[in-house]
mmCIF file of all heavy atoms in Angstrom:
data_model
loop_
_atom_site.group_PDB
_atom_site.id
_atom_site.type_symbol
_atom_site.label_atom_id
_atom_site.label_comp_id
_atom_site.label_asym_id
_atom_site.label_seq_id
_atom_site.Cartn_x
_atom_site.Cartn_y
_atom_site.Cartn_z
ATOM 1 N N HIS U 274 38.528 149.538 48.362
ATOM 2 C CA HIS U 274 39.764 150.121 48.757
ATOM 3 C C HIS U 274 39.622 151.282 49.795
ATOM 4 O O HIS U 274 40.595 151.539 50.418
ATOM 5 C CB HIS U 274 40.593 150.642 47.524
ATOM 6 C CG HIS U 274 40.993 149.549 46.622
ATOM 7 N ND1 HIS U 274 42.048 148.612 46.933
ATOM 8 C CD2 HIS U 274 40.508 149.092 45.374
ATOM 9 C CE1 HIS U 274 42.197 147.767 45.890
ATOM 10 N NE2 HIS U 274 41.260 148.023 45.035
ATOM 11 N N CYS U 275 38.482 151.970 49.706
ATOM 12 C CA CYS U 275 38.463 153.308 50.378
ATOM 13 C C CYS U 275 37.521 153.382 51.490
ATOM 14 O O CYS U 275 37.709 154.163 52.403
ATOM 15 C CB CYS U 275 38.126 154.387 49.358
ATOM 16 S SG CYS U 275 38.813 154.082 47.738
ATOM 17 N N ARG U 277 36.837 151.673 54.029
ATOM 18 C CA ARG U 277 37.197 151.427 55.508
ATOM 19 C C ARG U 277 37.658 152.697 56.164
ATOM 20 O O ARG U 277 37.551 152.679 57.399
ATOM 21 C CB ARG U 277 38.159 150.212 55.576
ATOM 22 C CG ARG U 277 39.522 150.617 54.971
ATOM 23 C CD ARG U 277 40.522 149.349 54.818
ATOM 24 N NE ARG U 277 41.400 149.551 53.747
ATOM 25 C CZ ARG U 277 42.678 149.735 54.154
ATOM 26 N NH1 ARG U 277 43.161 149.747 55.340
ATOM 27 N NH2 ARG U 277 43.470 149.836 52.972
ATOM 28 N N CYS U 278 38.217 153.558 55.484
ATOM 29 C CA CYS U 278 38.577 154.828 56.105
ATOM 30 C C CYS U 278 37.477 155.855 55.751
ATOM 31 O O CYS U 278 37.136 156.667 56.826
ATOM 32 C CB CYS U 278 39.902 155.358 55.715
ATOM 33 S SG CYS U 278 41.305 154.218 56.190
ATOM 34 N N HIS U 279 37.123 155.969 54.528
ATOM 35 C CA HIS U 279 36.239 157.162 54.256
ATOM 36 C C HIS U 279 34.790 156.868 54.403
ATOM 37 O O HIS U 279 34.037 157.667 54.372
ATOM 38 C CB HIS U 279 36.455 157.527 52.742
ATOM 39 C CG HIS U 279 37.799 158.182 52.539
ATOM 40 N ND1 HIS U 279 38.077 159.458 52.917
ATOM 41 C CD2 HIS U 279 39.031 157.753 52.146
ATOM 42 C CE1 HIS U 279 39.326 159.752 52.609
ATOM 43 N NE2 HIS U 279 39.982 158.750 52.160
ATOM 44 N N PHE U 288 40.748 157.339 61.012
ATOM 45 C CA PHE U 288 42.193 157.694 60.935
ATOM 46 C C PHE U 288 42.366 159.103 60.372
ATOM 47 O O PHE U 288 43.458 159.392 59.774
ATOM 48 C CB PHE U 288 42.963 156.720 60.074
ATOM 49 C CG PHE U 288 42.849 155.227 60.466
ATOM 50 C CD1 PHE U 288 42.311 154.351 59.585
ATOM 51 C CD2 PHE U 288 43.168 154.810 61.663
ATOM 52 C CE1 PHE U 288 42.235 152.965 59.942
ATOM 53 C CE2 PHE U 288 43.086 153.577 62.088
ATOM 54 C CZ PHE U 288 42.515 152.531 61.138
ATOM 55 N N GLY U 289 41.410 159.910 60.658
ATOM 56 C CA GLY U 289 41.670 161.388 60.207
ATOM 57 C C GLY U 289 41.275 161.410 58.638
ATOM 58 O O GLY U 289 41.745 162.480 58.043
ATOM 59 N N ALA U 290 40.658 160.471 57.917
ATOM 60 C CA ALA U 290 40.343 160.556 56.609
ATOM 61 C C ALA U 290 39.478 161.762 56.314
ATOM 62 O O ALA U 290 38.545 161.995 57.093
ATOM 63 C CB ALA U 290 39.643 159.298 56.139
ATOM 64 N N LYS U 291 39.742 162.526 55.342
ATOM 65 C CA LYS U 291 39.114 163.704 54.960
ATOM 66 C C LYS U 291 37.651 163.370 54.607
ATOM 67 O O LYS U 291 37.401 162.319 53.961
ATOM 68 C CB LYS U 291 39.719 164.510 53.761
ATOM 69 C CG LYS U 291 41.056 165.139 54.235
ATOM 70 C CD LYS U 291 40.797 166.623 54.536
ATOM 71 C CE LYS U 291 42.018 167.276 55.107
ATOM 72 N NZ LYS U 291 43.044 167.678 54.236
ATOM 73 N N LEU U 293 34.866 163.188 52.164
ATOM 74 C CA LEU U 293 34.828 163.412 50.763
ATOM 75 C C LEU U 293 33.615 164.119 50.366
ATOM 76 O O LEU U 293 33.493 164.577 49.254
ATOM 77 C CB LEU U 293 34.950 162.005 50.102
ATOM 78 C CG LEU U 293 36.272 161.283 50.443
ATOM 79 C CD1 LEU U 293 36.280 159.902 49.696
ATOM 80 C CD2 LEU U 293 37.486 162.094 50.041
ATOM 81 N N SER U 296 34.956 167.545 50.261
ATOM 82 C CA SER U 296 36.191 167.785 49.589
ATOM 83 C C SER U 296 35.912 168.716 48.337
ATOM 84 O O SER U 296 34.907 168.476 47.624
ATOM 85 C CB SER U 296 36.843 166.499 49.132
ATOM 86 O OG SER U 296 37.929 166.748 48.383
ATOM 87 N N LEU U 298 38.759 169.208 46.239
ATOM 88 C CA LEU U 298 39.944 169.032 45.508
ATOM 89 C C LEU U 298 39.558 168.830 43.957
ATOM 90 O O LEU U 298 38.603 168.167 43.657
ATOM 91 C CB LEU U 298 40.614 167.684 45.821
ATOM 92 C CG LEU U 298 41.450 167.706 47.147
ATOM 93 C CD1 LEU U 298 42.248 166.313 47.060
ATOM 94 C CD2 LEU U 298 42.428 168.819 47.053
ATOM 95 N N GLN U 306 46.503 162.390 44.781
ATOM 96 C CA GLN U 306 46.440 161.793 46.054
ATOM 97 C C GLN U 306 46.245 160.356 46.082
ATOM 98 O O GLN U 306 46.648 159.568 46.966
ATOM 99 C CB GLN U 306 45.324 162.593 46.794
ATOM 100 C CG GLN U 306 45.095 162.028 48.273
ATOM 101 C CD GLN U 306 45.072 163.203 49.251
ATOM 102 O OE1 GLN U 306 45.210 164.328 49.001
ATOM 103 N NE2 GLN U 306 44.714 162.817 50.482
ATOM 104 N N ILE U 307 45.297 159.850 45.270
ATOM 105 C CA ILE U 307 45.075 158.385 45.165
ATOM 106 C C ILE U 307 46.312 157.646 44.822
ATOM 107 O O ILE U 307 46.693 156.600 45.386
ATOM 108 C CB ILE U 307 43.892 158.152 44.196
ATOM 109 C CG1 ILE U 307 42.669 158.727 44.662
ATOM 110 C CG2 ILE U 307 43.635 156.520 44.145
ATOM 111 C CD1 ILE U 307 41.464 158.528 43.630
ATOM 112 N N LYS U 311 48.745 160.152 51.177
ATOM 113 C CA LYS U 311 49.095 161.333 51.927
ATOM 114 C C LYS U 311 48.881 160.983 53.492
ATOM 115 O O LYS U 311 48.034 160.494 53.902
ATOM 116 C CB LYS U 311 48.076 162.534 51.670
ATOM 117 C CG LYS U 311 48.555 163.860 52.301
ATOM 118 C CD LYS U 311 47.819 165.040 51.686
ATOM 119 C CE LYS U 311 48.166 166.300 52.330
ATOM 120 N NZ LYS U 311 47.363 167.399 51.854
ATOM 121 N N ARG U 312 49.987 161.058 54.112
ATOM 122 C CA ARG U 312 50.061 160.683 55.497
ATOM 123 C C ARG U 312 49.471 159.328 55.786
ATOM 124 O O ARG U 312 50.089 158.437 55.229
ATOM 125 C CB ARG U 312 49.342 161.775 56.481
ATOM 126 C CG ARG U 312 50.207 162.991 56.598
ATOM 127 C CD ARG U 312 49.738 163.924 57.611
ATOM 128 N NE ARG U 312 48.792 164.900 57.083
ATOM 129 C CZ ARG U 312 48.366 165.903 57.728
ATOM 130 N NH1 ARG U 312 48.921 166.210 58.924
ATOM 131 N NH2 ARG U 312 47.611 166.873 57.158
ATOM 132 N N MET U 314 46.863 157.890 54.628
ATOM 133 C CA MET U 314 46.341 157.293 53.332
ATOM 134 C C MET U 314 47.463 156.646 52.549
ATOM 135 O O MET U 314 48.386 157.350 52.202
ATOM 136 C CB MET U 314 45.532 158.440 52.544
ATOM 137 C CG MET U 314 44.868 157.862 51.277
ATOM 138 S SD MET U 314 43.750 158.954 50.661
ATOM 139 C CE MET U 314 43.880 158.349 48.894
ATOM 140 N N PRO U 315 47.202 155.363 52.269
ATOM 141 C CA PRO U 315 48.195 154.589 51.475
ATOM 142 C C PRO U 315 48.288 155.144 50.060
ATOM 143 O O PRO U 315 47.212 155.481 49.444
ATOM 144 C CB PRO U 315 47.935 153.255 51.692
ATOM 145 C CG PRO U 315 46.444 153.165 51.978
ATOM 146 C CD PRO U 315 46.096 154.525 52.625
ATOM 147 N N PHE U 317 48.072 154.225 46.123
ATOM 148 C CA PHE U 317 47.438 153.086 45.393
ATOM 149 C C PHE U 317 47.960 152.876 43.951
ATOM 150 O O PHE U 317 47.504 152.025 43.252
ATOM 151 C CB PHE U 317 45.924 153.392 45.259
ATOM 152 C CG PHE U 317 45.186 153.210 46.590
ATOM 153 C CD1 PHE U 317 45.081 154.266 47.379
ATOM 154 C CD2 PHE U 317 44.700 151.932 46.961
ATOM 155 C CE1 PHE U 317 44.422 154.211 48.689
ATOM 156 C CE2 PHE U 317 43.987 151.794 48.146
ATOM 157 C CZ PHE U 317 43.868 152.915 49.152
ATOM 158 N N LEU U 329 37.657 155.930 40.049
ATOM 159 C CA LEU U 329 37.467 156.251 41.406
ATOM 160 C C LEU U 329 37.328 157.777 41.744
ATOM 161 O O LEU U 329 36.367 158.176 42.371
ATOM 162 C CB LEU U 329 38.688 155.904 42.270
ATOM 163 C CG LEU U 329 38.635 154.385 42.808
ATOM 164 C CD1 LEU U 329 40.064 153.999 43.307
ATOM 165 C CD2 LEU U 329 37.698 154.347 43.881
ATOM 166 N N ILE U 333 34.060 159.304 43.551
ATOM 167 C CA ILE U 333 34.139 160.138 44.848
ATOM 168 C C ILE U 333 33.447 161.448 44.638
ATOM 169 O O ILE U 333 32.900 161.971 45.601
ATOM 170 C CB ILE U 333 35.455 160.094 45.491
ATOM 171 C CG1 ILE U 333 36.479 160.868 44.697
ATOM 172 C CG2 ILE U 333 36.009 158.754 45.901
ATOM 173 C CD1 ILE U 333 37.758 161.034 45.437
HETATM 174 C C1 HEC V 927 44.032 154.024 55.688
HETATM 175 C C2 HEC V 927 42.883 154.969 55.558
HETATM 176 C C3 HEC V 927 42.580 155.518 54.147
HETATM 177 C C4 HEC V 927 42.268 154.832 53.078
HETATM 178 C C5 HEC V 927 42.263 153.242 52.904
HETATM 179 C C6 HEC V 927 41.993 155.791 51.989
HETATM 180 N N1 HEC V 927 42.152 156.981 52.460
HETATM 181 FE FE1 HEC V 927 41.811 158.716 51.538
HETATM 182 N N2 HEC V 927 42.423 159.782 53.092
HETATM 183 C C7 HEC V 927 42.860 159.219 54.229
HETATM 184 C C8 HEC V 927 43.349 160.353 55.124
HETATM 185 C C9 HEC V 927 43.954 160.166 56.617
HETATM 186 C C10 HEC V 927 43.245 161.518 54.422
HETATM 187 C C11 HEC V 927 43.653 162.955 54.916
HETATM 188 C C12 HEC V 927 45.136 163.168 54.395
HETATM 189 C C13 HEC V 927 45.639 164.509 54.957
HETATM 190 O O1 HEC V 927 45.396 165.549 54.189
HETATM 191 O O2 HEC V 927 46.140 164.500 55.982
HETATM 192 C C14 HEC V 927 42.641 161.177 53.132
HETATM 193 C C15 HEC V 927 42.252 162.113 52.197
HETATM 194 C C16 HEC V 927 41.658 161.772 50.886
HETATM 195 C C17 HEC V 927 41.490 162.701 49.862
HETATM 196 C C18 HEC V 927 41.667 164.188 49.963
HETATM 197 C C19 HEC V 927 40.367 165.033 50.327
HETATM 198 C C20 HEC V 927 40.669 166.460 50.509
HETATM 199 O O3 HEC V 927 39.759 167.321 50.190
HETATM 200 O O4 HEC V 927 41.832 166.803 50.765
HETATM 201 C C21 HEC V 927 40.943 162.071 48.860
HETATM 202 C C22 HEC V 927 40.377 162.534 47.520
HETATM 203 C C23 HEC V 927 40.871 160.645 49.221
HETATM 204 N N3 HEC V 927 41.381 160.558 50.478
HETATM 205 C C24 HEC V 927 40.482 159.649 48.372
HETATM 206 C C25 HEC V 927 40.686 158.280 48.716
HETATM 207 C C26 HEC V 927 40.302 157.169 47.843
HETATM 208 C C27 HEC V 927 39.691 157.343 46.521
HETATM 209 C C28 HEC V 927 40.688 156.057 48.498
HETATM 210 C C29 HEC V 927 40.638 154.528 47.843
HETATM 211 C C30 HEC V 927 41.497 154.411 46.726
HETATM 212 C C31 HEC V 927 41.183 156.297 49.737
HETATM 213 N N4 HEC V 927 41.120 157.755 49.925
HETATM 214 C C32 HEC V 927 41.608 155.378 50.697
HETATM 215 C C33 HEC V 927 42.750 158.008 54.663
HETATM 216 C C34 HEC V 927 42.523 156.915 53.815
#
Side-chain angles (χ1 to χ4, degrees):
H274 294 284
C275 324
R277 67 193 154 103
C278 293
H279 289 282
F288 305 120
K291 289 261 169 82
L293 299 180
S296 174
L298 278 190
Q306 178 136 351
I307 299 174
K311 190 167 178 189
R312 290 193 267 195
M314 180 164 155
F317 287 91
L329 271 169
I333 62 175

